[in-house]
Amino acid sequence: MRGSIGGPRVMLRRLRELMAEPVNAQERLDKIVMTIASNMVAEVCSVYVLRGDSRLELFATEGLKREAVHHSSLELGEGLVGTIAAQAAPLNLPDAQQHPAFAYLPETGEEIYHSFLGVPILRGGQTLGVLVVQNRTHRTYPEEEVEALQTTAMVLAEMIAGDELDSLVTPGENLALRRPQHLAGRALTEGLGLGHAVLHEPRLVVTSLIAEDVHTELARLETALDSLRTSVEDLLTRSDIMRAGEHREVLEAYKMFAYDRGWAERIREAVVSGLTAEAAVERVQNDTRARMLRQPDPYLRDRLHDLDDLANRLLRLLVGWDHLEDEELPRDAIIVARNMGPAELLDYDRERLRGLVLEEGAPTSHVTIVARALGIAMVGQVDGVLDLVNTGDAIIVDGVSGEVHVRPPADIEAAYVEKVRFRARRQEQYHQLKDKPAVTRDGQPINLMVNAGLLVDLPHVKEAGAAGIGLFRTELQFMVAATFPRMREQLQLYRAVLDAAGDLDVTFRSLDVGGDKVLPYLRSAQEENPALGWRAIRMALDRPGLLRTQIRALLHAAAGRELRLMFPMITEVGEFDRARALVERERRHLQRHGYALPDTVKLGAMVEVPSLLWQLEEMVARVDFLSVGSNDLMQFLFAVDRANAKLADRFDPLSPAPLRALRKVIEVAHSGGVPVTLCGELAGSPLTAMALLGIGYRSISMAPAAIGPVKAMLMSLDLGTLERWLLPQLNLPHDGLRKELTGFAQKHDVQI
Ligand code: PEP
Ligand code: MG
């Protein structure tokens, strides 16, 4: 093992004593730089702290002119110190003046020092400042000294993160750590959320930095590394507990890192230099994050992300997982995560959720759909948000513009409070439309329905003034449960749904799991392409026991009423026939045993797999209704994973190919006299809903919050004019029609 064992450990011990001394912040900092300078035999040691205005202010120095302290500062990226902060990487120079970034600050008197070693002060991926040592002679600092200075910088990071230094910053300024951050992402569900940040996978804050006994710390580290390897192996073999997004590739990367000697060795070295095991992990993790920031290759950046996740797991093993469970969710929680599955979102107390911010995320992924159903503001594709947010920070999620404000200044917060009021007034206007018939300006009635799936959705059906539930996603009950819901539990939910809907139509969809909808208790084999895999009706037909139980629960619940049931992911007509046969069999079974049955049973198929587009005539001859699942249909038409953030904007459903496909469904269904509804996310935004009406859809189903805006749109729409303009456009060669459709709406005063 390289490195001198004595040096940094002696220094860290001395720093620990200094941290405990009852002196004021400036005195403590002064003593710290003095200690570092003498320990490293440097003539200069200085600390620069990053301010909210992106300047690095000199906070303390041993060796440079004292008058410069709190008077001298550099822009982020300016000079050597600014370069270190901007790149989050050390600089080790035998002749500083020769470096192209060198900036001369006359007030410091540093021109006589030639060699220069500076390291960033990092914490949780953020740069908080820079720590520098300088010498008169031309020397290159050995690697051990660079390491030692980086380790020492962690102590300063702790000090900056506490509030001790806040009072020292030049009046009128604040520390970067508490700086407001304005980030831009993609709006995924409409709404505004004001609240406090909760990290879905909290980053542990290491508070105990300096080891009492190196041997004990090394032993702790080895135990934790062993458990880490076992848990990753375990995850790899138990694919059933893998969560959405935690794909095999990621786990393989975890495994590679968990066995990476270099990584473990670097952590060990940091322990030997005097850190506790957890501080050593954090110290190595800081380097990883810094490399991540500088890495332009997205693939490598992802791998560094994986390594960062793994280090986080290791930290939790060292500090203890339990410690996280106790934290109470604030009443206005805004969840911040890299990505998550729908079931994980549903694990949170819905009453307390105000918003969701993801580094990834796409508009039709299921976590988005669930967030929309819960009425939570959501912004996705917010690069780097996890590194900028701390648990408990005030945060605003703007699901209209896609902006996220972390630690917003008072004026922004006030503006948002006003926006929230404005939205409430608009909601009130939409609410006024609730009892008005959904009829276009030229008198065409439109059937507006809601998508639902949970008990909490039910009051929304009436509140929104919807004509019924166009899609009841039965899998949500399965996703929130810890074990398979029994027949009785399913029956209770379905009965409650039908009771709440009263005279309104409810279309249940049979269990649609697989893809990104994972049931933690359902073991299934790992699949390369889960969206194209053993899911929905495919699984149901192979495991008829599950589907039969569900059908029985539905038949019981709808006794004396109408039961409308549709099957997801139908790919060929035979699948529908088999599903229908199962319904018939259950119906006869219940009849034989004298149970009350539904008055009528209507069965439908979802059109969401393109192969069905060429079997529409056969389908229409069999079904009572069709329902277009445009989310999956677009995913398969464009060959674009609906959960992949990188592709979310690449293809537009408002272009000729998908619009022609959607039009074809309408034409064939109409000629066969079969009603069609469209229940994907396309139905829920006024512009796309307008396009759907324009190509012939008269029944659409959407999130409850979308009913008001879509109704306002159609009430201002002359549908005849739209049809006359739009239908011929479908046959012309077009890249996309979004701009033209927006232009149409503006020209004809349609409220989109
Ligand atoms: C769809 O695919 O459009 C649909 C409505 O179903 P889900 O989003 O639940 O897959
Ligand atoms: Mg679908």
Side-chain angles (χ1 to χ4, degrees):
M1 202 162 292
R2 62 200 158 83
S4 75
I5 294 186
R9 265 169 47 201
V10 171
M11 175 157 67
L12 283 177
R13 211 169 301 142
R14 176 72 192 119
L15 290 178
R16 183 170 56 192
E17 287 160 14
L18 278 177
M19 295 301 275
E21 275 184 21
V23 290
N24 70 33
Q26 189 65 53
E27 277 174 76
R28 195 184 321 283
L29 264 189
D30 293 345
K31 288 185 172 185
I32 288 176
V33 288
M34 218 154 67
T35 305
I36 299 173
S38 78
N39 190 281
M40 294 190 66
V41 201
E43 280 121 18
V44 175
C45 176
S46 318
V47 177
Y48 297 82
V49 178
L50 188 62
R51 297 193 313 222
D53 64 350
S54 295
R55 290 193 76 84
L56 290 142
E57 176 176 323
L58 180 65
F59 261 54
T61 186
E62 167 68 19
L64 299 186
K65 290 185 189 155
R66 283 301 179 92
E67 311 84 83
V69 170
H70 298 301
H71 292 290
S72 190
S73 69
L74 287 140
E75 192 69 41
L76 193 67
E78 180 194 355
L80 300 177
V81 167
T83 304
I84 293 166
Q87 299 190 343
L91 272 184
N92 183 359
L93 307 169
D95 194 350
Q97 275 98 330
Q98 295 306 311
H99 192 279
F102 180 78
Y104 176 54
L105 295 180
E107 70 273 22
T108 63
E110 66 178 324
E111 59 279 13
I112 52 173
Y113 302 104
H114 289 287
S115 46
F116 174 106
L117 169 62
V119 298
I121 301 174
L122 299 170
R123 189 170 190 270
Q126 280 178 269
T127 301
L128 306 185
V130 173
L131 173 62
V132 174
V133 289
Q134 288 170 282
N135 283 83
R136 278 176 202 265
T137 52
H138 291 261
R139 62 179 287 221
T140 303
Y141 299 88
E143 187 57 25
E144 299 90 83
E145 293 195 6
V146 182
E147 295 272 338
L149 199 63
Q150 283 178 295
T151 300
T152 316
M154 289 184 69
V155 177
L156 286 160
E158 266 324 292
M159 215 178 152
I160 299 173
D163 49 13
E164 204 183 352
L165 298 191
D166 289 21
S167 57
L168 299 184
V169 67
T170 298
E173 299 297 340
N174 58 2
L175 296 185
L177 184 71
R178 290 181 241 301
R179 166 177 52 183
Q181 295 279 354
H182 174 205
L183 304 162
R186 181 180 171 145
L188 291 180
T189 77
E190 255 231 10
L192 301 174
L194 277 67
H196 290 91
V198 173
L199 298 187
H200 179 54
E201 288 186 326
R203 203 155 245 146
L204 284 180
V205 177
V206 176
T207 46
S208 145
L209 291 176
I210 303 167
E212 297 278 347
D213 173 53
V214 170
H215 295 291
T216 316
E217 293 304 314
L218 279 174
R220 285 182 65 224
L221 177 65
E222 292 311 322
T223 313
L225 278 169
D226 277 347
S227 318
L228 178 75
R229 289 173 191 136
T230 317
S231 71
V232 172
E233 297 277 1
D234 205 38
L235 275 175
L236 270 164
T237 47
R238 293 183 52 204
S239 55
D240 58 314
I241 57 165
M242 295 217 316
R243 296 163 310 163
E246 209 169 44
H247 300 305
R248 192 161 194 93
E249 190 191 357
V250 172
L251 289 176
E252 291 290 357
Y254 278 6
K255 187 171 159 188
M256 192 179 82
F257 293 128
Y259 284 96
D260 182 284
R261 282 172 181 276
W263 183 61
E265 197 52 38
R266 282 202 301 282
I267 303 176
R268 274 187 211 109
E269 278 177 18
V271 172
V272 171
S273 77
L275 293 178
T276 58
E278 49 269 41
V281 175
E282 165 125 350
R283 157 81 183 75
V284 173
Q285 204 177 354
N286 274 339
D287 288 351
T288 310
R289 292 212 205 97
R291 273 190 288 155
M292 215 148 71
L293 287 177
R294 294 193 303 272
Q295 182 52 255
D297 178 341
Y299 177 79
L300 290 180
R301 207 169 44 224
D302 278 353
R303 296 291 76 79
L304 285 169
H305 247 311
D306 298 338
L307 182 55
D308 193 34
D309 283 350
L310 193 73
N312 225 12
R313 276 172 194 260
L314 187 56
L315 271 184
R316 290 191 198 178
L317 284 167
L318 284 164
V319 181
W321 294 81
D322 326 337
H323 147 117
L324 297 169
E325 312 292 322
D326 314 335
E327 303 245 327
E328 217 197 291
L329 202 63
R331 294 196 166 276
D332 52 1
I334 309 261
I335 312 293
V336 184
R338 189 173 160 196
N339 204 359
M340 67 164 74
E344 290 169 284
L345 179 59
L346 287 167
D347 268 349
Y348 286 98
D349 178 354
R350 290 189 284 281
E351 297 293 311
R352 291 169 180 246
L353 287 186
R354 295 288 174 276
L356 177 61
V357 181
L358 297 185
E359 291 202 343
E360 298 176 8
T364 59
S365 74
H366 280 101
V367 65
T368 310
I369 289 175
V370 169
R372 202 169 286 144
L374 299 176
I376 302 170
M378 174 176 179
V379 174
Q381 300 167 28
V382 188
D383 234 12
V385 61
L386 275 177
D387 290 335
L388 296 173
V389 175
N390 299 305
T391 298
D393 278 345
I395 179 166
I396 296 174
V397 186
D398 185 335
V400 181
S401 68
E403 289 164 291
V404 174
H405 298 271
V406 181
R407 301 177 290 272
D411 55 338
I412 297 276
E413 189 158 342
Y416 270 94
V417 169
E418 189 42 48
K419 274 193 196 187
V420 168
R421 270 199 214 112
F422 176 77
R423 274 182 71 81
R425 280 199 296 275
R426 244 208 2 230
Q427 290 304 329
E428 189 42 43
Q429 284 161 6
Y430 291 142
H431 195 68
Q432 316 253 307
L433 298 182
K434 157 178 160 317
D435 297 319
K436 297 228 162 74
V439 176
T440 62
R441 227 176 64 205
D442 51 341
Q444 182 66 244
I446 307 293
N447 200 26
L448 294 186
M449 290 187 292
V450 290
N451 296 341
L454 295 166
L455 270 177
V456 289
D457 297 331
L458 299 181
H460 295 147
V461 183
K462 294 259 160 82
E463 270 164 37
I469 299 178
L471 164 65
F472 190 87
R473 291 186 165 99
T474 59
E475 62 277 5
L476 294 189
Q477 180 189 25
F478 287 70
M479 283 159 61
V480 292
T483 54
F484 251 113
R486 292 167 197 277
M487 210 275 279
R488 177 141 301 281
E489 290 158 312
Q490 296 181 41
L491 165 64
Q492 277 166 357
L493 174 66
Y494 304 152
R495 194 173 272 155
V497 173
L498 290 167
D499 288 345
D503 303 336
L504 306 176
D505 273 356
V506 177
T507 302
F508 291 97
R509 170 174 75 185
S510 70
L511 194 58
D512 184 11
V513 292
D516 64 346
K517 289 186 266 194
V518 183
L519 303 184
Y521 45 84
L522 179 69
R523 287 185 84 95
S524 59
Q526 177 59 33
E527 297 180 300
E528 281 294 324
N529 298 299
L532 304 175
W534 193 59
R535 53 175 289 206
I537 194 68
R538 302 167 182 186
M539 186 191 285
L541 290 175
D542 291 353
R543 294 257 186 101
L546 282 183
L547 182 57
R548 274 177 28 210
T549 306
Q550 185 173 36
I551 292 172
R552 204 173 289 185
L554 285 162
L555 288 168
H556 279 303
R561 323 187 231 209
E562 178 176 84
L563 172 63
R564 296 171 57 85
L565 173 62
M566 63 185 179
F567 304 104
M569 289 283 291
I570 297 283
T571 308
E572 48 185 30
V573 287
E575 289 173 330
F576 178 79
D577 292 342
R578 288 167 63 198
R580 182 173 55 188
L582 281 177
V583 177
E584 192 41 38
R585 185 175 143 175
E586 286 313 307
R587 213 182 56 79
R588 279 204 305 272
H589 175 84
L590 294 187
Q591 195 171 33
R592 256 199 321 274
H593 290 83
Y595 287 103
L597 287 172
D599 295 341
T600 43
V601 176
K602 293 212 165 132
L603 299 181
M606 288 192 75
V607 182
E608 44 185 3
V609 179
S611 68
L612 221 52
L613 296 173
W614 290 272
Q615 304 168 73
L616 284 170
E617 284 81 4
E618 293 92 322
M619 245 9 266
V620 158
R622 288 166 159 80
V623 295
D624 297 304
F625 63 92
L626 287 177
S627 184
V628 180
S630 58
N631 305 333
D632 276 313
L633 188 60
M634 295 304 138
Q635 152 162 275
F636 300 127
L637 272 180
F638 287 128
V640 159
D641 177 353
R642 61 193 266 188
N644 188 329
K646 287 196 190 75
L647 295 167
D649 286 324
R650 190 150 180 141
F651 304 102
D652 191 351
L654 294 185
S655 51
L659 290 177
R660 281 180 208 160
L662 292 171
R663 168 76 187 160
K664 181 174 156 75
V665 179
I666 283 284
E667 282 171 349
V668 180
H670 278 183
S671 59
V674 162
V676 190
T677 294
L678 185 143
C679 60
E681 302 307 304
L682 279 184
S685 110
L687 180 70
T688 47
M690 182 184 91
L692 292 173
L693 301 188
I695 59 170
Y697 284 80
R698 295 293 175 265
S699 177
I700 50 180
S701 190
M702 63 204 79
I707 294 272
V710 169
K711 201 180 214 179
M713 176 279 292
L714 71 89
M715 289 172 74
S716 60
L717 171 71
D718 188 320
L719 187 50
T721 310
L722 174 64
E723 281 177 328
R724 278 189 296 282
W725 167 76
L726 180 59
L727 287 175
Q729 299 288 323
L730 294 191
N731 300 320
L732 301 176
H734 264 294
D735 284 345
L737 284 165
R738 184 170 292 269
K739 230 172 64 215
E740 288 77 357
L741 281 158
T742 311
F744 176 93
Q746 280 158 356
K747 183 168 159 206
H748 294 91
D749 280 335
V750 184
Q751 284 185 39
I752 53 165

